[in-house]
Amino acid sequence: MGDPSSQPVFVLVRPQMGENIGAAARAMWNFGLDAMSITAPRDGWPNPKAVAMASGAGRLLDNARLHDDVAGAVAGCSYVFATTARGRDLTKPVFSPEAAMARAAGMIAAGEKVAVLFGPERTGLENDDVARANAIVSVPVNPDFASLNLAQCVLLMAYEWRRQAVEVTHETVPLGKGDWASRIEVDKLAEHYEDRLGQAGFFFPPEKAEGMKLNLRNLWSRMRLTRADVQMLHGVMRQMVRWKERG
């Protein structure tokens, strides 16, 4: 299990369905979180339905801390976030999930203990629960359908935590066994096509030829080609020429 002091504690407040507790455990462990607390679960604890749903994340449930109320769950925390989709008549900072987890990461790095509260499925957090929090996390959901499933909300917050805790590669293109084509290889491919297309009379009428060649060169430069791509495209043109010559 991970070090509880290096991550926020996710507190499930009065969860109702064991299946949702198990799904929340899976969501947490998907993103490397394993510090779970549970307050007053409706169907008691332990819950076999939670274990069944948790699958490979069952160890989170084995190590989950059980509390009678929110006060006990957050007693050792210096900062508490409350997740809610509803407006509140309470004066508190309101964070997006991303900003909340960025703040949490900074606090935890400084040695503080942070908790995130998640409300029960039917009603969400009550005002008494939110009153114990330092700040609110508001998810920008559809206002006509604002209720998030418990595990979905946990997944969203766990994902945002993961983005803050580890370096995320936002885009990558696996090359397999190939390499990217060099500029000179792409230039040679462009020349091959330009020569053959010129012989075929493609650049017509003459006054538009330079513009057409420029557009074609621009097309090649926009494409990210591998060496295998370049070889294949050379082969395509060679085969077309052979086919024409045979005809």
Side-chain angles (χ1 to χ4, degrees):
M1 305 295 285
D3 179 1
S5 67
S6 66
Q7 60 182 285
V9 178
F10 277 21
V11 181
L12 310 188
V13 179
R14 299 182 298 278
Q16 296 170 307
M17 297 179 63
E19 294 89 342
N20 284 335
I21 301 173
R26 289 190 66 174
M28 289 177 63
W29 192 231
N30 280 148
F31 296 100
L33 290 166
D34 55 24
M36 173 186 280
S37 287
I38 304 172
T39 75
R42 183 190 66 183
D43 297 334
W45 196 257
N47 186 310
K49 291 182 178 179
V51 175
M53 182 61 76
S55 187
R59 51 186 168 172
L60 271 73
L61 303 180
D62 294 338
N63 290 279
R65 295 188 175 185
L66 188 65
H67 299 275
D68 293 331
D69 52 29
V70 172
V74 302
C77 297
S78 59
Y79 204 89
V80 179
F81 292 97
T83 61
T84 178
R86 298 182 304 171
R88 303 285 180 168
D89 296 326
L90 299 171
T91 302
K92 290 184 184 294
V94 179
F95 291 85
S96 68
E98 180 180 10
M101 291 299 91
R103 173 68 68 89
M107 290 178 171
I108 290 170
E112 297 188 57
K113 188 173 181 181
V114 177
V116 183
L117 305 181
F118 299 87
E121 296 90 320
R122 186 175 63 84
T123 60
L125 293 171
E126 300 295 338
N127 278 348
D128 285 347
D129 304 318
V130 178
R132 294 185 181 278
N134 298 94
I136 289 171
V137 182
S138 181
V139 180
V141 293
N142 175 6
D144 295 326
F145 192 60
S147 178
L148 278 176
N149 173 272
L150 172 60
Q152 290 174 333
C153 190
V154 169
L155 181 85
L156 188 152
M157 296 299 294
Y159 166 71
E160 292 295 351
W161 167 259
R162 185 74 173 179
R163 291 182 62 206
Q164 304 301 324
V166 301
E167 184 175 349
V168 176
T169 301
H170 291 284
E171 181 178 352
T172 184
V173 181
L175 278 173
K177 296 180 180 179
D179 293 315
W180 292 117
S182 66
R183 285 313 312 166
I184 191 169
E185 289 169 326
V186 176
D187 288 344
K188 292 295 184 183
L189 178 66
E191 290 172 10
H192 184 190
Y193 270 70
E194 189 172 311
D195 290 345
R196 291 302 187 180
L197 289 172
Q199 293 169 17
F202 176 76
F203 300 112
F204 182 86
E207 60 271 19
K208 293 187 177 180
E210 286 306 312
M212 295 172 71
K213 291 177 182 179
L214 178 63
N215 288 338
L216 187 60
R217 286 193 293 272
N218 191 46
L219 181 149
W220 294 119
S221 69
R222 286 204 310 271
M223 290 191 291
R224 194 84 194 273
L225 299 172
T226 65
R227 286 179 172 173
D229 295 331
V230 169
Q231 292 168 0
M232 181 188 70
L233 290 168
H234 276 300
V236 167
M237 181 55 77
R238 283 194 293 267
Q239 187 61 30
M240 292 299 293
V241 171
R242 291 192 192 105
W243 173 79
K244 177 64 176 176
E245 290 174 347
R246 285 199 302 267

